[in-house]
């Protein structure tokens, strides 16, 4: 079975949209903060591989737990969200998840008031 097309979530353009919302609160994204990512299996994905996927993500520094719905996972870590630091991470996460039969569904982060380093 073929995979759906690669999502645009995790692209610099999508990341910029979140960063713009953060900037509206006076946060330039450079301070390290709590970041949450979401991923969900594509329809007909083999869910028996989910525990292994979660273990691999943990071994790469993410705290991982089940999402509330749709057999998804929630990944948490601490990072700045500036383009030079963050865009390569989200692109590689999106691509890797896609290769595993999962869709990267974006991220959100803590807003740091006056978050300028």
């Amino acid at each position: 079975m073929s995979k759906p097309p690669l999502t645009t979530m995790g692209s610099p353009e999508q990341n910029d949209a979140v960063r713009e919302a953060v900037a509206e609160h006076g946060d330039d994204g450079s301070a390290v903060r709590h970041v949450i990512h979401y991923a969900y299996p594509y329809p007909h994905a083999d869910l028996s591989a989910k525990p292994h996927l979660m273990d691999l993500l943990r071994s790469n520094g993410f705290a991982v737990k089940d999402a509330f719905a749709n057999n998804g996972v929630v990944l948490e870590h601490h990072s700045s969200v500036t383009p030079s630091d963050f865009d390569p991470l989200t692109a590689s996460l999106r691509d890797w998840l896609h290769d595993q039969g999962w869709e990267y569904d974006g991220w959100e982060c803590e807003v740091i008031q006056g978050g300028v380093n």
Side-chain angles (χ1 to χ4, degrees):
M1 174 166 281
S2 65
K3 293 179 198 148
L6 190 62
T7 180
T8 61
M9 298 304 272
S11 69
E13 296 78 18
Q14 291 292 328
N15 292 345
D16 284 345
V18 179
R19 284 189 285 259
E20 286 174 22
V22 169
E24 290 175 7
H25 298 280
D27 183 349
D28 73 355
S30 63
V32 172
R33 82 258 340 273
H34 183 226
V35 182
I36 303 169
H37 303 266
Y38 301 93
Y40 297 93
Y42 288 126
H44 311 294
D46 175 11
L47 293 178
S48 69
K50 182 179 176 182
H52 180 65
L53 177 124
M54 293 173 79
D55 287 342
L56 287 171
L57 291 164
R58 284 184 189 106
S59 72
N60 281 286
F62 293 99
V64 183
K65 61 185 178 185
D66 287 317
F68 178 72
N70 301 322
N71 292 305
V73 295
V74 176
L75 320 171
E76 300 181 54
H77 68 114
H78 292 85
S79 172
S80 79
V81 294
T82 58
S84 61
D85 294 334
F86 199 69
D87 290 356
L89 170 70
T90 59
S92 65
L93 190 56
R94 178 196 62 209
D95 294 349
W96 183 80
L97 285 163
H98 182 73
D99 289 345
Q100 307 305 309
W102 286 65
E103 180 177 22
Y104 179 69
D105 195 38
W107 59 278
E108 62 183 81
C109 70
E110 170 188 15
V111 172
I112 301 193
Q113 297 295 326
V116 179
N117 270 349

